[in-house]
Amino acid sequence: MKSNVIKDKSKSFAIRIIDLYKSLANNKKEYVMSRQILRSGTSIGANINEAICSVSKKEFLSKMYISYKEATESQYWLELLKDSDYINEKEFNSYNKDCEEIIKILSSITKSTRENLKL
């Protein structure tokens, strides 16, 4: 089976986010933002998987755009976790770097798909 870069990166990110959630919930007793980052961080890959199985280019674009929005939301929660001292600068930079990379790839995918559809 052919490798899919965005699918692989989003899955790796989701696994890291699951580990972050466990750490925040178990060690820091933070439950609100940790659930939000868990939801948005794992939703990226779920929507990419749905996009891959879509029946039309418009559905593909819609699911990829949802993934893009979930990635930007994840970035927001990461910033809040850093600014409220639940994660340190080094942790933030590591997660944010992965998130930024996913955002850039998804932005490129949605842009080229829109151009191909002439939207």
Side-chain angles (χ1 to χ4, degrees), residues 17-97:
I17 291 299
I18 291 166
D19 289 340
L20 175 62
Y21 167 77
K22 289 178 192 176
S23 174
L24 289 169
N26 294 333
N27 301 332
K28 302 206 176 179
K29 306 299 182 213
E30 199 303 306
Y31 303 105
V32 176
M33 289 182 288
S34 61
R35 284 193 187 113
Q36 292 290 347
I37 188 68
L38 176 66
R39 188 200 55 76
S40 63
T42 57
S43 180
I44 299 165
N47 280 289
I48 289 168
N49 278 333
E50 285 188 44
I52 291 167
C53 296
S54 62
V55 295
S56 70
K57 286 284 188 186
K58 284 188 177 183
E59 182 184 6
F60 175 84
L61 177 60
S62 175
K63 293 296 180 182
M64 283 297 192
Y65 191 68
I66 290 169
S67 294
Y68 172 82
K69 293 191 314 183
E70 293 291 343
T72 61
E73 181 181 337
S74 295
Q75 199 169 43
Y76 173 77
W77 292 116
L78 289 168
E79 289 170 3
L80 280 181
L81 287 165
K82 176 185 65 88
D83 292 347
S84 59
D85 296 322
Y86 281 104
I87 61 174
N88 62 40
E89 190 80 27
K90 183 179 177 183
E91 291 169 313
F92 169 78
N93 289 337
S94 177
Y95 288 108
N96 193 55
K97 180 179 175 259

Side-chain angles (χ1 to χ4, degrees), residues 61 106-118:
L61 177 60
L106 289 169
S107 177
S108 176
I109 290 170
T110 56
K111 182 180 178 189
S112 63
T113 303
R114 272 194 317 271
E115 289 170 357
N116 288 337
L117 288 171
K118 300 183 181 4

